[in-house]
Amino acid sequence: MATDEPGQPPALTSLSLADQAPAKTEQPAPQAREQLVTPFDVSGGVDAEGKALPIDLDKLVRDFGATPISPELLEKFERVTGRKPHRFMRRGIILSHRDLDAILDRYEKGQPFYLYTGRGPSSDSMHIGHTIPFDFTKWLQDVFSCPLVIMLTDDEKFLHTKNMSLEDSKRYTAANAADIIAIGFDPSRTFIFNDFDFVSGKFYENICRMAKYITINSVSATFGFTLSHNIGEYHFPAIQSATAFATSFPHIFGEDESRVRSIPCLIPCAIDQDPYFRQCRQHAEKLKFKKPSLIHAGFLPALQGPGSKMSASVDISSIFMSDTPSRIKNKINKYAFSGGQETLELHRELGGRTEQDVPFQYLRFFMEDDERLEEIRQKYEKGEMSTGELKKICIEHLQEYVKAFQERRGKVTEEVRKGFMERKRLELGR
């Protein structure tokens, strides 16, 4: 790291009084560990020397059996939609899919489909990592001019989080719904719902259809659940699956089930959510539904660097959408892992490592200008740009992004929130 910067921030695991304990004469040998990616835990591996490793997204795509986003698919996307692919798609942040080409074929033929995404409310404010799938989904809604359903899984978070009360869950749901609305979704094409209030009728019928096919063994194998997990966690995959079936929403798509069953959905989500939908895709056609298509995003790293993702429960791991400009500046300067060299002299000689540098990685996600991003990359890797200069650019970009969000968030009244969450017909297509 360049010498004009504060020292490399401590890892999350070292922020404790344990650092002050007397040194032990013998330390156990480091144990290598594979990376762990589930809907509940995301962490990179550890090598034989105890060094934390970044998440290997290519390996994850292979392990999940997903299809990488290819140049040919990006060309088809642009040809069919007439729109340049989103920066997430151009930069490999959107890294894989399941049957995206089938959705593009339907769009080209003018056949209906809808978008489905969601969030498990777990804090009073979303962080910038949470906005990634929502920003991308908003862009897809603009491109496709199609309906969107957003599921707030307040039940799942309550069931999975030991110390969360129902009152906490309800508060988080209301706050997160307003945050999501502030992304800028089209109210005439968007329905937001939370499970505690919505599960009934046709939606519950589809939950039961799925639950009849999903076995304890399959859930245990997919999620790693044991006998110590509560029964609600085992059941939840059926609830999350039901949103992928258009007949769950007769107020949007109508009562003609024979017609509505043929309407598929496209699910933009972080790749750690894919296991839920593998369960859904496995059984959908047995129930005479279309398999949902998926498009997967990678993870925005925590401030402490590659190998983890931001956590709503660890303030210094994240830039929250409620953070002030000074708080954003302090977090980037104090905690953001740098890919710079140990001294300024070495940095000028060897250059920075953008693949490890958190401020540069954040610019990959949030800077729209490809040419400017490439210019920054080259300058930093050649040592022509210091760590401090790169952090300054990142800080300004994130301050602008969060400020614009907060201005939109300030306009989301209770009346606006209720309007997005009421059962109403949506505009269905172009």
Side-chain angles (χ1 to χ4, degrees):
M1 177 187 298
T3 55
D4 58 347
E5 293 303 309
Q8 193 65 275
L12 289 178
T13 53
S14 69
L15 298 175
S16 71
L17 294 175
D19 296 332
Q20 302 173 26
K24 295 181 181 179
T25 55
E26 274 188 46
Q27 295 290 338
Q31 295 291 317
R33 188 179 70 240
E34 289 287 321
Q35 66 184 22
L36 175 66
V37 178
T38 74
F40 318 108
D41 297 290
V42 174
S43 60
V46 176
D47 68 16
E49 297 178 354
K51 179 183 176 183
L53 300 173
I55 295 167
D56 186 338
L57 292 172
D58 292 336
K59 180 180 185 298
L60 188 60
V61 170
R62 292 194 302 271
D63 290 348
F64 279 8
T67 303
I69 298 289
S70 66
E72 292 77 18
L73 186 60
L74 293 180
E75 290 173 6
K76 179 177 181 178
F77 187 97
E78 185 164 3
R79 174 177 58 80
V80 169
T81 65
R83 297 283 293 271
K84 180 181 179 180
H86 193 278
R87 65 180 183 276
F88 294 169
M89 302 173 81
R90 302 193 304 267
R91 296 173 188 169
I93 293 166
I94 298 296
L95 61 149
S96 59
H97 71 100
R98 297 187 188 277
D99 295 334
L100 175 59
D101 46 346
I103 292 294
L104 292 175
D105 290 343
R106 290 186 71 89
Y107 181 80
E108 193 169 29
K109 295 173 183 176
Q111 297 172 338
F113 61 92
Y114 67 104
L115 297 170
Y116 157 29
T117 195
R119 164 154 172 72
S122 59
S123 62
D124 287 307
S125 173
M126 299 199 307
H127 58 59
I128 58 172
H130 293 141
T131 68
I132 299 303
F134 289 114
D135 276 342
F136 184 58
T137 300
K138 194 268 182 191
W139 182 82
L140 288 174
Q141 184 183 54
D142 292 344
V143 169
F144 290 131
S145 298
C146 65
L148 162 66
V149 295
I150 299 175
M151 180 184 199
L152 296 176
T153 57
D154 46 5
D155 51 348
E156 186 265 346
K157 281 298 179 185
F158 171 73
L159 290 165
H160 187 73
T161 308
K162 184 176 180 180
N163 296 321
M164 183 182 291
S165 68
L166 280 172
E167 291 70 27
D168 290 336
S169 177
K170 290 176 181 179
R171 186 179 78 253
Y172 296 153
T173 296
N176 285 189
D179 284 350
I180 290 165
I181 290 165
I183 297 295
F185 293 107
D186 181 349
S188 70
R189 298 183 188 275
T190 306
F191 173 55
I192 302 175
F193 69 95
N194 65 298
D195 290 346
F196 279 138
D197 290 337
F198 186 71
V199 172
S200 62
K202 296 296 183 181
F203 190 84
Y204 186 62
E205 289 178 15
N206 284 338
I207 291 172
C208 289
R209 288 186 175 106
M210 279 298 298
K212 200 168 184 177
Y213 277 90
I214 298 175
T215 66
I216 295 293
N217 283 342
S218 67
V219 172
S220 297
T222 300
F223 298 98
F225 288 171
T226 67
L227 294 178
S228 65
H229 285 79
N230 67 60
I231 193 170
E233 292 177 283
Y234 277 94
H235 179 65
F236 185 74
I239 300 174
Q240 187 140 319
S241 294
T243 310
F245 305 141
T247 58
S248 295
F249 306 101
H251 65 282
I252 297 175
F253 300 104
E255 302 281 352
D256 184 355
E257 287 202 11
S258 62
R259 177 186 62 82
V260 175
R261 276 178 179 271
S262 67
I263 301 175
C265 69
L266 171 63
I267 305 172
C269 62
I271 194 169
D272 60 329
Q273 297 300 305
D274 182 78
Y276 278 119
F277 301 110
R278 293 206 300 273
Q279 291 278 336
C280 180
R281 284 171 57 86
Q282 180 182 348
H283 302 298
E285 291 181 338
K286 301 172 190 173
L287 297 169
K288 297 181 170 52
F289 293 116
K290 294 282 190 181
K291 287 182 180 181
S293 298
L294 286 90
I295 186 163
H296 301 129
F299 309 117
L300 189 70
L303 286 164
Q304 285 69 23
S308 63
K309 70 171 185 176
M310 290 187 168
S311 171
S313 62
V314 183
D315 180 70
I316 61 170
S317 76
S318 311
I319 302 295
F320 284 85
M321 302 309 291
S322 57
D323 280 346
T324 62
S326 61
R327 183 71 173 145
I328 293 170
K329 181 179 180 179
N330 179 65
K331 283 183 175 181
I332 295 295
N333 279 331
K334 188 173 181 181
Y335 299 113
F337 190 92
S338 170
Q341 302 296 336
E342 292 300 318
T343 67
L344 184 57
E345 182 180 33
L346 274 177
H347 185 81
R348 296 299 187 199
E349 178 186 349
L350 301 176
R353 296 155 290 193
T354 53
E355 73 281 357
Q356 299 177 15
D357 194 278
V358 166
F360 181 81
Q361 291 303 314
Y362 287 3
L363 291 176
R364 278 188 70 232
F365 277 79
F366 294 103
M367 178 178 279
E368 179 63 36
D369 189 331
D370 290 338
E371 292 183 1
R372 175 62 174 147
L373 183 68
E374 177 61 15
E375 178 189 3
I376 291 169
R377 185 191 68 79
Q378 290 189 21
K379 284 185 175 181
Y380 193 64
E381 291 183 352
K382 292 177 180 177
E384 297 172 0
M385 178 180 287
S386 72
T387 294
E389 290 169 325
L390 179 55
K391 283 187 173 183
K392 184 174 185 294
I393 295 170
C394 176
I395 289 166
E396 291 172 351
H397 227 79
L398 291 182
Q399 287 174 332
E400 181 181 342
Y401 178 77
V402 172
K403 179 184 177 183
F405 170 87
Q406 290 173 352
E407 289 174 352
R408 297 191 301 270
R409 178 67 167 79
K411 299 175 184 177
V412 180
T413 63
E414 182 65 8
E415 182 180 359
V416 169
R417 185 184 69 81
K418 288 181 177 179
F420 272 88
M421 300 185 77
E422 69 177 347
R423 301 188 191 207
K424 61 183 184 297
R425 291 301 295 264
L426 301 180
E427 294 184 22
L428 297 182
R430 291 172 283 175

